[in-house]
Amino acid sequence: MRRGLARNSSSFRTRAGFGAALALILMLGAAPAVAEDLDGGLNRGLMRLSEILGSVHHLREVCGANEGALWRNKMIDMMNTAALSAEQRQAMITHFNDAYYQARAAFPDCSAKAAAKANSLFDEAQRLAGRLSTIGQSATAEF
């Protein structure tokens, strides 16, 4: 059962800030150095970002944002942009799916807590994007 915290609600932020954060991550994938650091901080960051995307996919859906497969498609874009091995792609997919199902179990309906969780994930994604862009820039500078 959906409650009235749709995308126009003041307690449920728009995706603009998170989209900007994700754009930074997608730009990182263009650098050949991304694949070089996938065992370090960049890999952990990409896995966490996969989890955030999975959670947001459910939370935005349950709260009536009417975005369809937007967050799943952002995940696919991120994987296609980064130079990943088959194992790394599968790990990201697993993190996305696990987070989606955990969010679905924790928040079966839209509530103020679900909206707050989505907002905190947006904030985390923005901070994470800043850290990942620093990692990507320093890895690219080594080439």
Side-chain angles (χ1 to χ4, degrees), residues 14-138:
T14 64
R15 65 180 190 258
F18 186 63
L22 189 57
L24 287 172
I25 302 303
L26 293 176
M27 288 188 311
L28 287 175
V34 171
E36 298 298 318
D37 189 14
L38 283 175
D39 291 328
L42 188 56
N43 188 47
R44 286 187 302 277
L46 289 174
M47 294 305 153
R48 179 60 188 144
L49 192 56
S50 299
E51 292 167 354
I52 291 170
L53 288 169
S55 294
V56 166
H57 183 59
H58 169 71
L59 292 168
R60 298 284 294 178
E61 180 180 284
V62 76
C63 286
N66 297 319
E67 295 169 332
L70 174 72
W71 300 104
R72 181 182 171 279
N73 292 338
K74 295 290 185 188
M75 173 69 176
I76 292 168
D77 291 345
M78 185 174 64
M79 288 189 307
N80 289 340
T81 303
L84 303 171
S85 69
E87 294 82 16
Q88 290 161 332
R89 278 182 76 88
Q90 188 55 54
M92 288 179 72
I93 291 167
T94 299
H95 282 261
F96 178 95
N97 288 338
D98 288 350
Y100 175 88
Y101 289 112
Q102 288 170 1
R104 191 169 82 172
F107 303 100
D109 300 311
C110 188
S111 64
K113 286 185 179 184
K117 180 65 174 177
N119 290 340
S120 73
L121 290 169
F122 287 156
D123 291 342
E124 181 183 350
Q126 289 178 316
R127 289 189 306 272
L128 181 58
R131 287 195 306 270
L132 292 177
S133 66
T134 301
I135 293 169
Q137 288 169 359
S138 62

